[in-house]
Amino acid sequence: MREKIGQLLIDLRLKGMQTVVDRELEAAEKKGTAIQKVLYRLLCEELAYRQQRSMHYRIHHAKIPFDWTLKTFPFNNQPGVQKSQIMSLAGLAFIERAENIVFIGNPGTGKSGLAIGLLRTALINGYRGRFYNAQDLLDELYASLADRSTAKLIKRLCNYPILVIDELGYLTLKAEQINAFFKLMGERYGKASTIITTNLDYPDWYELFQRKTLVDALLDRLKHRCITININGPSLRAPAQKNATAPSPKSA
């Protein structure tokens, strides 16, 4: 009978139950456990397996470049960041409110580490998300113009409850890229959360995008539902931090 049950679990692809069924049946035989409890434990194992598998799938497809977490962020070495504020954001209520987060600071101050940490927290808690380097995102938007798939790409990006756009700085931009980016941000406004890291304060965005009217509209929407965090602190890449638990030297 065990062989038949095991084969059925294989056929039904119930891998979570399959890994523990022998253990649970043996324990039930020894202790005289009620069949309801055995079934409940097996179903719990299957649910846990599927949740774990789903979490790994979300993390893999988010394309996070580094294994940073909020637990490993060196808050003690960065006085420009309030740990209490970041841990409050880690409660993820900002996603439910479709609020944006913008980290502004000099290179090396930990902007990317914090953004990735929040994204990873969201993924672990069941949200779908995606990480993009800003230039890569703008290049992908531009490439989509060639086969007229921009609308499809923007729709896909808007389906992510959380999107991280990293290193929005002095980039090489074409007019078509700027228009597509503004379209994406406009579509996500009020519907999903976007985290942006940048070394440019808001007034400098005009020089980056060279389109005052569009930048006015972008900032009006972005800042309306936004938490802006200015990191006025030292670089975590400084020699004094070599022995500290800090993000990779590539961290922004």
Side-chain angles (χ1 to χ4, degrees), residues 32-73:
T33 308
I35 188 63
Q36 294 94 330
K37 289 186 177 181
V38 176
L39 181 58
Y40 176 75
R41 289 174 182 172
L42 289 172
L43 290 173
C44 285
E45 290 288 346
E46 182 64 29
L47 176 61
Y49 170 81
R50 294 191 181 195
Q51 289 176 333
Q52 188 76 4
R53 184 179 180 185
S54 178
M55 181 188 70
H56 287 303
Y57 177 86
R58 290 192 301 274
I59 291 175
H60 174 73
H61 285 272
K63 306 296 183 182
I64 300 177
F66 306 109
D67 294 329
W68 298 336
T69 70
L70 294 181
K71 290 183 178 180
T72 61
F73 187 85

Side-chain angles (χ1 to χ4, degrees), residues 113-172:
L114 292 170
I116 288 174
L118 289 172
L119 173 59
R120 185 179 294 277
T121 300
L123 297 170
I124 291 173
N125 282 275
Y127 291 98
R128 295 174 60 251
R130 182 71 159 83
F131 175 95
Y132 269 101
N133 172 273
Q135 186 68 67
D136 292 341
L137 172 61
L138 289 160
D139 289 344
E140 188 170 330
L141 287 168
Y142 184 70
S144 70
L145 296 171
D147 59 3
R148 299 182 179 181
S149 63
T150 306
K152 183 178 179 180
L153 172 59
I154 289 177
K155 182 179 180 180
R156 175 165 59 83
L157 294 174
C158 285
N159 285 332
Y160 290 116
I162 179 170
L163 178 69
V164 171
I165 303 175
D166 191 42
E167 297 184 2
L168 184 67
Y170 289 109
L171 309 173
T172 301

